[in-house]
Amino acid sequence: MNCKKYRACLVGVLAAALICGALLYMKYGREGEKPVDGVLVERNFSWEAGTAA
C-alpha cells in the first residue's frame, strides 16, 4: 500500500471514530447531566399529582 492510500485509509478510520464518538456522546453522555438554570425540563405530571407511575 503506498503512502497516499495509507493516509486516506487512516483519515477515514479517524473520521469514522470521531463521528461514532460524537453520536455516542449525544446518546449517552447527556443523560447523566443535571439540568442548570435556563434548561427546560420535562415534567412528570403523574408525580406532581401524587400518584406513583
Side-chain angles (χ1 to χ4, degrees):
M1 191 183 294
N2 62 15
C3 183
K4 288 182 182 180
K5 287 184 181 179
Y6 178 75
R7 187 179 301 157
C9 182
L10 185 62
V11 168
V13 168
L14 289 175
L18 180 66
I19 291 170
C20 289
L23 292 174
L24 285 173
Y25 174 75
M26 287 184 353
K27 182 169 176 67
Y28 297 112
R30 295 184 181 179
E31 289 179 357
E33 292 181 3
K34 293 181 181 178
V36 294
D37 291 336
V39 176
L40 296 176
V41 180
E42 181 181 343
R43 291 180 176 245
N44 188 349
F45 291 106
S46 62
W47 179 76
E48 289 178 355
T51 60

